[in-house]
Amino acid sequence: PIPAVRMAAVYKYYGEFRALTNVNMVVSPGERVVVCGPSGSGKSTLIRCINHIEKRDDGMISVNGTDLNGTRANIAKVRSLTGMVFQGFNLFPHMTILENCVLAPMSSLGLGRPEAEARAMAYLEKVRIAEQAHKYPIQLSGGQQQRVAIARSLCMEPEIMLFDEPTSALDPEMVKEVLETMETLAKDGMTMICVTHEIGFARQVADRVVFMDRGEIIEEAPPAEFFDRP
Ligand code: ADP
Ligand code: ADP
């Protein structure tokens, strides 16, 4: 099958500083990859290159067979294939939860309001937040807001979900509910690449752990092998 993500000999610089060095990674459809490593090792940069929030300087990246070659059409295609969830929830504060979720499906996919709302409610149901659909972000807890951010991404029906430390801005008691939502997605067979320090999640959900240091992938292994070695 065509890889969900393929990175070959990818390099990324910020000015003189090399943030990614010869990154090679193939993610199969349905695979769950957890990326870990020390702060500043390039995890966020790696994930941001996949949906072209950051542009790689050298090497090749393809998503579902679409080459991120810099053409607008291909960038748009890759963006539509990938959903991304950040540390901050980035919901629009002046819009209700439902409005936040229907915005992109209406403007980018051209769905009519009834269809967009039906879709949004289905995904809000999935993340168990449908009852709050008419509230504003500020009325929800951080964990609930992050679940909304996940639902909002799902409303674009991406093939691959990218998570960049989705729980690190949350109070400890809210981490679990967000990880449970991510586990639900994993059970549905979603292809996922997650930057996270949550070892319990990695153990339970990851097919593979990728360990980065100073911009390089220095190790890849199944979680059991990775975390349980003497
Ligand atoms: P991680 O996610 O592993 O913490 P990042 O990918 O965020 O690492 O950052 C890798 C390195 O690149 C860090 O040293 C960081 O300071 C640097 N970096 C990240 N983004 C930028 C940027 N926009 N400009 C300059 N340096 C950056
Ligand atoms: P994260 O922990 O999610 O990787 P950071 O706090 O490292 O986020 O970075 C937040 C933002 O600042 C990112 O957009 C990143 O690209 C940028 N950034 C990080 N390090 C630098 C740096 N040394 N110079 C400029 N921008 C940076």
Side-chain angles (χ1 to χ4, degrees), residues 14 17 19 38-46 54 165:
Y14 295 113
F17 178 77
S39 176
S41 59
K43 306 179 298 293
S44 187
T45 300
L46 180 151
E54 296 285 359
E165 302 202 19

Side-chain angles (χ1 to χ4, degrees), residues 4-228:
V5 175
R6 193 160 88 86
M7 303 178 83
V10 169
Y11 288 76
K12 169 70 190 173
Y13 295 84
Y14 295 113
E16 298 284 292
F17 178 77
R18 194 163 71 199
L20 294 180
T21 300
N22 191 28
V23 167
N24 295 280
M25 183 170 85
V26 177
V27 179
S28 303
E31 199 179 6
R32 274 80 57 146
V33 175
V34 163
V35 182
C36 61
S39 176
S41 59
K43 306 179 298 293
S44 187
T45 300
L46 180 151
I47 223 168
R48 287 147 96 80
C49 283
I50 294 171
N51 69 351
H52 209 267
I53 295 180
E54 296 285 359
K55 187 180 179 309
R56 87 239 180 297
D57 291 299
D58 203 358
M60 205 281 297
I61 302 176
S62 65
V63 177
N64 264 15
T66 298
D67 188 352
L68 258 184
N69 57 9
T71 63
R72 267 194 208 179
N74 281 16
I75 293 168
K77 177 75 182 154
V78 166
R79 290 261 168 84
S80 76
L81 292 168
T82 50
M84 182 141 181
V85 176
F86 302 88
Q87 205 172 317
F89 328 122
N90 307 333
L91 301 175
F92 291 113
H94 60 292
M95 292 183 182
T96 66
I97 299 314
L98 184 60
E99 288 297 328
N100 266 280
C101 290
V102 299
L103 192 61
M106 289 179 68
S107 65
S108 302
L109 304 180
L111 296 193
R113 178 168 290 275
E115 198 184 342
E117 287 191 357
R119 184 187 284 195
M121 289 308 293
Y123 286 113
L124 287 169
E125 198 77 56
K126 182 168 249 335
V127 305
R128 296 183 296 107
I129 213 120
E131 321 76 63
Q132 325 272 6
H134 297 288
K135 291 190 177 165
Y136 287 85
I138 198 168
Q139 295 174 282
L140 271 56
S141 73
Q144 290 174 324
Q145 289 186 53
Q146 190 61 302
R147 277 149 57 203
V148 172
I150 294 171
R152 182 180 56 176
S153 273
L154 293 174
C155 283
M156 296 297 284
E157 308 208 318
E159 299 282 333
I160 300 158
M161 286 291 291
L162 307 173
F163 292 89
D164 191 358
E165 302 202 19
T167 59
S168 26
L170 296 175
D171 293 330
E173 68 271 19
M174 290 165 192
V175 168
K176 194 161 155 266
E177 61 187 57
V178 171
L179 294 178
E180 280 170 2
T181 299
M182 292 167 68
E183 285 171 25
T184 305
L185 289 189
K187 286 206 189 88
D188 289 348
M190 177 63 83
T191 310
M192 295 165 64
I193 304 176
C194 313
V195 175
T196 180
H197 300 288
E198 297 292 338
I199 289 174
F201 173 82
R203 245 184 228 286
Q204 194 136 20
V205 173
D207 298 303
R208 177 157 51 117
V209 177
V210 167
F211 190 82
M212 295 189 73
D213 191 25
R214 290 176 236 183
E216 287 186 81
I217 294 179
I218 60 166
E219 201 174 346
E220 289 188 67
E225 209 174 295
F226 194 87
F227 296 114
D228 299 339

